[in-house]
Amino acid sequence: MTPIEIAEKLCTLCQVCVKKCPFDALSMQDGKIVVNEKCTACGICVRTCPEKAMSLRNLPKKAIAKDLKDYKGVWVFIEHSDCKIASVSFELLGEGRKLADKLGVELSAVLLGDATERMAAESASYGADTVLVMNDPLLKNYRTQPYLAGIVQLVQKYKPEIFLFGATTMGRDLAGAVATKLRTGLTADCTALDIEEQTKFLKQTRPAFGGNIMATILTKNHRPQMATVRPRVMKAPLKDAGKKAAIINETIVVSAELLPTMIVDFILQAEQNAPLEDAQIIVSGGKGMGSAKNFDMLHAFASAIGGTVAGSRKASEAGWISAAMQVGQTGHTVRPRIYFACGISGAIQHVVGMQTSDIIIAINKDPHAPIFSVANYGIVGDVLNIIPQMTKIFNEGSGNNESH
Amino acid sequence: MIFFLMALLLHIDIVSTAIDSQYCSEKVTIVHIVVCLKQVPDTTEVKIDRKTNTLIREGVPSIANPFDLNAVEAALVLKEKYGATVTVISMGPPQAKEALRRAIAMGADQAILLSDRSFAGADTLATSYTLAQAILKLQDAGGVDLVLCGKQAIDGDTAQVGPGIATRLNLTQLTYVSKIESVDADGKHITVERKLENGVEIVRGNLPALLTVVKEIYKPRYASLPCLIESLAYEPVVWNAKQISADSSQIGLEGSPTWVETIFSPPLREGGVILNPGDENYDKEFSGLIDTVKKIVAEERSKLVCS
């Protein structure tokens, strides 16, 4: 049985669907349109078929519809290292608050670790009504197995309807394991969440296909509805130090001998600058910079304005900038207040990594470069002249009247 | 019937290879490595039709997922070191054999395609079930010490299938691996470096394990011309749903808890002011731009002072 039903009487074999399918999942064989294993049931073919010959097959909802009502509340996994809560967890508490209010349910922070007291209070001050705490030396540093065991234990006992994680290395490592253990749906790397008015389903919107399309995903018949959420897309709420939460302590049932991994060491990255994700001003260079040496002028400009230097994939592949400072689909997603795109053409893979910047300033010789269609300010000109000119203005301090 | 026999013969062949290498090599610590590989559309080649705001897929080639090739390379390096057998598996239609051949050309020993119309419509939960069933079959046949996956596929970017397989098969889960430091002589532990946001974590884990790898681990080798030519004639083994004893309620659309409700084009950012040095307004607009930047720079500077 395939996900797409094709009414052969209506199908004219025009093959519009074959062309429109992003996943290459449809083809014409033996005078029929057939659906193959690459189908993700996205429904693009159903919507684009000019004859309306295609439909998504409705599967029997044999699942657990009656049990769904037992699941209540919105949970946020609190990610931390070195007793410091990750900023994405605050962002999720803010977003979780909105969802919980729409549903009229409680927002809970889920905190596993060792010596969690201060972090529990902090979770409350960012909006959690309840903090579920598991305190155990085994949970001091994140490891998949004990965290998985602890989380599954909590979910089975308290049954949340929504469970959010940051789309970080930790959040993705854990959520993928938890969802599999619970046999529920998990949507990766969401950039928007909402509640569907009538059904109360969690609407999970995420970019797919290298950022070329957006999809809204529902988990209809399974609970909890799980999602990982991209950092720095949602805004963290203001801290209210006076806000208190109910603290519920649970004991993890897991034995140390059974744990399959041991952390031998952790080497903190010795990046000179602040992590790229947290940078508020980014000066990013692309192929148009021409050489590693020309990147020096980006460094000079960045230091004049207190920015961080980054680059496109082309710049990183050419070795002009370290892979750790690459922006885009295969690098980092950034959301600075100002993003300078210097000699970057603006391929979609780059744009998806920086399009939520507050202000984008692009400098490019080619007036038709796609970067100009996303830039707030586009300067058509030679970056090798314009950047030194701007550096000079900022180094001179005042700069209101000198350049022209 | 003939197909069934062929599959059976090939299956036996796989089992015997795994066992042979166990006896042939002197000091074996890793015997059998399975790499999961996905054929994906090259999303870097996808363009958007600005008029209709839809994807243009025509002319976009199907490729082996780049991160999965990093995993193949890691498997081959371990093969060279320990004499392990490398089996590459993929779920997909018959045309995905092409991606598997790429791995064969690089030096993988055998390739298995999990192909069945009933796999269509799978989300990550159903996909991890299907791949896990195949790995289970290989485990039953002669053991699997290590499963390697790319950190994510470039079309879905979920990074969920690796952890899914590890959880289903109770393998030690090690994600975002940037370096395999060592495998213990007794073949019971592996030590790896994991690339995290703020640094590198060195972890020692029990074998068997599942690793998802980042591109820094190894650059995929180019296949030599003879290997490339030889791979063209290679026919991957094909297993259908029945052959991996798949439960029909856990595969394809039926085994997928997530539903795609809508698909739409990302909202485009509006383009803003274009400054052309030739224009008469240029100087005015340029100093406006500089003022905007200055304001933010000053605000950011004052934040630094406060903290």
Side-chain angles (χ1 to χ4, degrees):
Chain A
M1 197 168 76
T2 63
I4 308 294
E5 215 162 0
I6 303 168
E8 284 179 30
K9 273 189 194 154
L10 297 175
C11 177
T12 59
L13 301 177
C14 68
Q15 299 190 54
V16 165
C17 57
V18 175
K19 290 194 195 97
K20 290 291 178 191
C21 171
F23 298 97
D24 203 11
L26 294 165
S27 59
M28 179 130 110
Q29 272 173 37
D30 308 325
K32 278 202 297 200
I33 302 294
V34 294
V35 184
N36 72 35
E37 295 84 338
K38 289 185 176 179
C39 173
T40 66
C42 70
I44 284 184
C45 55
V46 174
R47 270 175 299 229
T48 51
C49 174
E51 311 300 331
K52 306 215 182 314
M54 307 181 95
S55 55
L56 266 174
R57 207 182 285 271
N58 262 323
L59 287 167
K61 288 177 192 165
K62 59 171 185 171
I64 30 167
K66 66 171 167 37
D67 295 331
L68 297 186
K69 287 198 182 67
D70 297 345
Y71 288 79
K72 271 216 158 30
V74 177
W75 283 16
V76 169
F77 172 72
I78 303 298
E79 173 174 338
H80 57 90
S81 64
D82 279 338
C83 289
K84 197 169 166 255
I85 296 178
S87 50
V88 69
S89 300
F90 298 135
E91 294 159 20
L92 289 183
L93 285 171
E95 189 66 17
R97 178 80 268 158
K98 288 184 211 157
L99 300 173
D101 290 348
K102 277 186 190 168
L103 289 165
V105 298
E106 275 200 352
L107 172 68
S108 303
V110 179
L111 181 58
L112 279 68
D114 186 20
T116 49
E117 206 171 313
R118 196 186 48 76
M119 290 191 287
E122 205 173 2
S123 302
S125 66
Y126 280 94
D129 301 312
T130 307
V131 186
L132 283 159
V133 177
M134 269 186 171
N135 242 323
D136 194 297
L138 284 177
L139 300 169
K140 183 168 193 282
N141 293 308
Y142 173 76
R143 284 180 294 168
T144 314
Q145 187 52 45
Y147 270 66
L148 168 63
I151 295 275
V152 168
Q153 196 185 318
L154 292 174
V155 170
Q156 285 173 344
K157 180 163 179 184
Y158 293 101
K159 299 187 190 309
E161 59 194 303
I162 291 172
F163 199 172
L164 309 176
F165 298 74
T168 56
T169 55
M170 189 192 294
R172 286 177 165 216
D173 184 89
L174 180 59
V178 170
T180 308
K181 205 62 156 184
L182 297 170
R183 303 285 191 268
T184 191
L186 169 62
T187 306
D189 205 20
C190 297
T191 52
L193 297 172
D194 202 357
I195 302 293
E196 202 173 74
E197 210 138 293
Q198 290 195 327
T199 57
K200 306 291 179 201
F201 290 141
L202 178 66
K203 288 164 73 177
Q204 308 158 100
T205 300
R206 68 181 302 262
F209 228 74
N212 287 287
I213 51 177
M214 305 293 290
T216 301
I217 314 264
L218 305 179
T219 297
K220 292 184 179 174
N221 298 326
H222 299 72
R223 292 293 176 274
Q225 305 163 81
M226 288 179 55
T228 61
V229 178
R230 185 177 289 192
R232 285 166 308 283
V233 172
M234 305 190 170
K235 290 224 158 73
L238 290 173
K239 188 174 178 173
D240 174 3
K243 193 174 176 306
K244 296 279 176 279
I247 309 282
I248 300 177
N249 283 293
E250 287 286 332
T251 312
I252 187 168
V253 187
V254 68
S255 78
E257 309 86 73
L258 292 177
L259 295 181
T261 57
M262 187 183 94
I263 298 166
V264 181
D265 199 3
F266 182 77
I267 304 156
L268 199 69
Q269 206 103 47
E271 278 293 338
Q272 286 178 332
N273 299 311
L276 192 53
E277 272 98 353
D278 297 332
Q280 294 299 330
I281 300 172
I282 292 177
V283 179
S284 191
K287 197 179 162 200
M289 291 305 296
S291 72
K293 199 174 168 301
N294 287 341
F295 256 71
D296 290 347
M297 62 178 73
L298 297 187
H299 287 282
F301 180 50
S303 75
I305 60 172
T308 303
V309 178
S312 68
R313 191 174 88 168
K314 293 249 169 67
S316 145
E317 277 172 356
W320 302 341
I321 186 106
S322 81
M325 304 308 271
Q326 183 191 321
V327 171
Q329 192 206 341
T330 54
H332 296 276
T333 302
V334 296
R335 191 188 181 174
R337 297 188 65 192
I338 315 179
Y339 187 91
F340 288 91
C342 309
I344 292 176
S345 65
I348 183 81
Q349 290 74 28
H350 185 77
V351 170
V352 294
M354 45 67 94
Q355 62 188 355
T356 53
S357 307
D358 290 351
I359 298 175
I360 296 170
I361 301 171
I363 307 165
N364 204 301
K365 263 192 268 195
D366 175 9
H368 304 294
I371 193 76
F372 289 129
S373 64
V374 298
N376 303 71
Y377 296 93
I379 306 178
V380 184
D382 189 349
V383 67
L384 303 182
N385 295 331
I386 291 163
I387 286 292
Q389 188 192 344
M390 300 217 291
T391 310
K392 197 165 158 247
I393 294 172
F394 280 92
N395 279 338
E396 279 165 6
S398 61
N400 281 326
N401 39 28
E402 78 281 36
S403 60
H404 312 293
Chain B
M1 188 62 192
I2 294 169
F3 280 115
F4 177 70
L5 281 174
M6 267 173 63
L8 196 67
L9 283 171
L10 288 163
H11 178 206
I12 291 165
D13 184 44
I14 287 167
V15 179
S16 59
T17 334
I19 292 169
D20 280 351
S21 56
Q22 195 163 18
Y23 293 106
C24 291
S25 182
E26 273 282 311
K27 196 178 140 194
V28 171
T29 53
I30 288 195
V31 181
H32 191 187
I33 303 169
V34 175
V35 184
C36 301
L37 183 146
K38 184 180 184 185
Q39 189 185 45
V40 294
D42 187 352
T43 52
T44 58
E45 295 288 321
V46 173
K47 303 249 164 12
I48 292 187
D49 182 338
R50 293 290 176 199
K51 283 199 194 101
T52 59
N53 232 0
T54 53
L55 286 183
I56 309 170
R57 212 210 65 228
E58 278 176 291
V60 174
S62 285
I63 56 168
N65 179 43
F67 296 113
D68 298 348
L69 292 179
N70 298 118
V72 171
E73 182 62 37
L76 295 175
V77 171
L78 292 171
K79 175 187 170 174
E80 282 153 10
K81 214 164 168 183
Y82 301 109
T85 303
V86 176
T87 303
V88 184
I89 64 173
S90 182
M91 182 182 96
Q95 54 267 39
K97 286 180 184 172
E98 212 181 300
L100 288 171
R101 287 193 186 102
R102 170 93 195 261
I104 292 290
M106 285 169 68
D109 298 289
Q110 54 214 350
I112 302 169
L113 179 69
L114 313 176
S115 197
D116 197 308
R117 293 268 167 78
S118 63
F119 296 153
D123 71 359
T124 56
L125 193 73
T127 304
S128 75
Y129 172 78
T130 308
L131 291 167
Q133 284 299 109
I135 296 166
L136 209 54
K137 180 164 170 165
L138 291 168
Q139 273 181 339
D140 289 345
V144 172
D145 306 282
L146 205 54
V147 178
L148 300 179
C149 305
K151 72 160 182 171
Q152 64 196 51
I154 59 166
D155 58 344
D157 290 315
T158 71
Q160 286 170 192
V161 173
I165 296 170
T167 305
R168 289 177 182 280
L169 298 176
N170 266 325
L171 304 170
T172 304
Q173 175 176 322
L174 297 164
T175 51
Y176 304 99
V177 170
S178 53
K179 189 178 172 191
I180 298 173
E181 286 206 333
S182 61
V183 177
D184 282 8
D186 61 3
K188 293 212 168 109
H189 297 95
I190 187 166
T191 304
V192 302
E193 289 186 11
R194 298 182 61 224
K195 191 181 169 235
L196 307 181
E197 282 86 355
N198 57 342
V200 174
E201 184 186 75
I202 301 166
V203 195
R204 184 161 183 259
N206 294 352
L207 288 170
L210 178 139
L211 275 51
T212 76
V213 305
V214 296
K215 66 180 173 187
E216 288 83 353
I217 189 162
Y218 292 112
K219 208 173 161 190
R221 66 190 66 187
Y222 289 104
S224 70
L225 193 59
C227 289
L228 203 62
I229 293 169
E230 211 179 307
S231 75
L232 295 178
Y234 180 83
E235 257 318 296
V237 183
V238 179
W239 286 349
N240 62 25
K242 209 173 155 195
Q243 283 163 315
I244 56 168
S245 318
D247 164 6
S248 68
S249 71
Q250 296 199 57
I251 56 172
L253 191 65
E254 205 179 338
S256 301
T258 60
W259 298 64
V260 182
E261 186 73 355
T262 47
I263 287 219
F264 54 97
S265 297
L268 287 177
R269 251 184 105 103
E270 295 279 313
V273 193
I274 297 292
L275 288 72
N276 227 316
D279 294 352
E280 51 178 300
N281 286 336
Y282 179 77
D283 285 355
K284 197 173 143 232
E285 281 169 348
F286 188 79
S287 50
L289 162 63
I290 294 290
D291 288 345
T292 308
V293 175
K294 269 192 180 152
K295 189 168 157 268
I296 295 173
V297 167
E299 282 170 16
E300 288 304 313
R301 285 238 159 89
S302 70
K303 270 195 216 166
L304 283 177
V305 175
C306 293
S307 60

